[in-house]
Amino acid sequence: MAQIDSTSAPQQGGAGIVGKGSATADGPGPHIMAASTLDGNKVYSADDVHVGSIKDIMLDVSTGRIAYAVLSSGGFLGMGDKLLAIPWNALTLDTDRKVFILGVSADVVKQAEGFDKDRWPSFADAGWATELHGRYGTEPYWHQRQGEQVVIDQPVVNAPRTGFSEGL
């Protein structure tokens, strides 16, 4: 199991990285990677229990930041699994093992409220997101370095009208 130390701590809301870095990572990683290369990566808890796999990466489109990973946990071959939103900065990429480490115990993951593929939560709801970050002991990604809070889930105003803004 890789040891997570202060040098691997996430920078400005990102996931931490441990291991030998590019010596053990495929492609251009580990600092810049295609999101699709992370789909299916296994996730282990802080107590080294396999708790699931990355199913999706959720972007905050207005800031360009990765907000959450969606973890598929439990079930068999995609049947009966529950989905969990995991704050991106709660994860550490272990380039030696080619897995993510989630900074909480397997019990926290097991007890976490999940959602199913047909009923996703409102990821942009500030109350829901603040509670989620509290569960995983992480600083919300939308907090600025100086501690200023940015409003999420605000309407887009004065935006050019496109097919997307018109609800196509």
Side-chain angles (χ1 to χ4, degrees), residues 141-159:
Y141 74 91
W142 61 89
H143 284 193
Q144 301 293 325
R145 273 184 106 167
Q146 296 81 17
E148 296 177 30
Q149 189 168 345
V150 175
V151 176
I152 58 174
D153 199 18
Q154 61 186 7
V156 176
V157 292
N158 297 326

Side-chain angles (χ1 to χ4, degrees), residues 3 11 13 15 23 32 57-58 61 68 92 103 122 139 143-144 153 155 162:
Q3 296 298 314
Q11 299 297 314
I32 303 211
I57 305 292
M58 305 302 291
V61 175
Y68 306 102
T92 298
S122 176
E139 183 73 18
H143 284 193
Q144 301 293 325
D153 199 18
T162 66

